[in-house]
Amino acid sequence: YKASTHAFLDVLKQIPNQHATILLVGHNPDLETFIEDLTHHRVELSTATLVQIKLSLKRWQAINADTKATIENTWRSKEIS
């Protein structure tokens, strides 16, 4: 709880570059804030919502607040049950 965008970025920078796809799990409001900071789009994350984000980077260590990121898809639990 109480993770800042900077904290999320620090975690992502530690991912080995062999992993092109990851699953990041978090809590609100921290995860909503992180997604908004990264994509510049506000998304409301109800319980168990999944958001697919495409990042424009070649190495995880290069991720920062200016990394181009777009929301590709959003799934809400009621849509996948």
Side-chain angles (χ1 to χ4, degrees):
Y1 292 101
K2 302 206 180 205
S4 65
T5 292
H6 182 74
F8 279 112
L9 292 173
D10 283 346
V11 168
L12 294 175
K13 285 179 183 182
Q14 296 176 39
I15 296 171
N17 292 320
Q18 68 203 41
H19 302 291
T21 303
I22 61 139
L23 175 65
L24 178 67
V25 178
H27 293 277
N28 282 325
D30 308 331
L31 196 54
E32 284 180 342
T33 300
F34 174 63
I35 292 170
E36 184 175 1
D37 288 348
L38 200 59
T39 66
H40 306 290
H41 282 75
R42 174 134 172 73
V43 64
E44 189 173 321
L45 300 177
S46 55
T47 301
T49 298
L50 300 173
V51 178
Q52 178 185 6
I53 298 173
K54 183 175 183 177
L55 301 171
S56 180
L57 60 97
K58 295 183 189 246
R59 299 177 322 117
W60 288 106
Q61 295 78 16
I63 194 168
N64 61 53
D66 296 322
T67 298
K68 184 178 181 202
T70 54
I71 295 174
E72 295 284 305
N73 212 332
T74 304
W75 297 273
R76 303 201 184 284
S77 60
K78 63 183 174 187
E79 298 169 345
I80 48 180
S81 59

